[in-house]
Amino acid sequence: MASLGAIRKRPIAFGAGLAVVVAAGVTGVLLRPSGDGPELPTARVYRDVDACLLTDSRGVVPGVPAAAVWAGMQDASVATRARASFLSAAGPDTQANDVPYVNSLVQEHCSVVVAVGPMPVRAVRAVAPRQKGVRFVVVGDGPGSANVSVVSKGGSAEVREHVRGLVASLARAS
């Protein structure tokens, strides 16, 4: 059994410990750097708008036409806070193989679907007439339509800028 003196000392020790913890917290708040250090990264808040890129099996690595398109989409994402993502078609390089990839982007609720490469572009042109609520952008030649915009082939910087402007415009409209 503890003595009466030991029991009375415990609240004093607890109170002293609590005071040290509070003092340390206050000192930490008062002595922390005042913005002179590097900024901590913050989470980016996106709008509920998705711009999705479909490429051939080469993806968006440097040196392929899709790289400039992807860079333009990322620029548009920064400007509009729309999410940008890409999907590379795997398997044979045919329109029939790429149509399911376009359909999956539509099912994922992409507001804007961008296609680059001969077969992804053909697949978009095959799907677009049945998907009136989705905006499509194709990089290449040929006519546009009610929901298909065309970015003509050109230099990387030109394609990047054209894609950025078009995707940003479509993302803001969504």
Side-chain angles (χ1 to χ4, degrees):
M1 179 182 238
S3 70
L4 188 56
I7 294 174
R8 289 185 181 157
K9 290 180 185 177
R10 285 186 186 153
I12 293 171
F14 176 75
L18 182 62
V20 168
V21 170
V22 169
V26 168
T27 302
V29 168
L30 294 176
L31 296 179
R32 78 172 174 207
S34 61
D36 295 336
E39 290 286 324
L40 295 176
T42 58
R44 190 167 192 210
V45 178
Y46 288 98
R47 294 177 46 226
D48 192 21
V49 176
D50 291 297
C52 307
L53 172 61
L54 178 62
T55 72
D56 59 21
S57 62
R58 295 179 294 170
V60 295
V61 296
V64 300
V69 176
W70 177 240
M73 290 179 66
Q74 290 177 311
D75 295 344
S77 174
V78 169
T80 64
R81 294 188 350 248
R83 289 180 296 267
S85 63
F86 73 90
L87 178 63
S88 298
D93 193 23
T94 64
Q95 177 183 330
N97 181 66
D98 289 6
V99 164
Y101 288 96
V102 176
N103 287 330
S104 70
L105 294 175
V106 170
Q107 289 173 353
E108 290 293 323
H109 304 290
C110 294
S111 306
V112 180
V113 175
V114 182
V116 61
M119 292 309 140
V121 166
R122 286 184 186 163
V124 160
R125 289 188 182 280
V127 171
R130 296 185 308 275
Q131 299 295 336
K132 300 289 186 195
V134 179
R135 296 294 313 191
F136 295 93
V137 176
V138 296
V139 179
D141 300 322
S145 65
N147 63 335
V148 177
S149 299
V150 178
V151 172
S152 298
K153 292 180 183 177
S156 293
E158 181 184 346
V159 168
R160 178 179 182 166
E161 184 58 27
H162 197 159
V163 167
R164 183 206 59 77
L166 191 54
V167 170
S169 174
L170 294 171
R172 285 186 184 108
S174 293

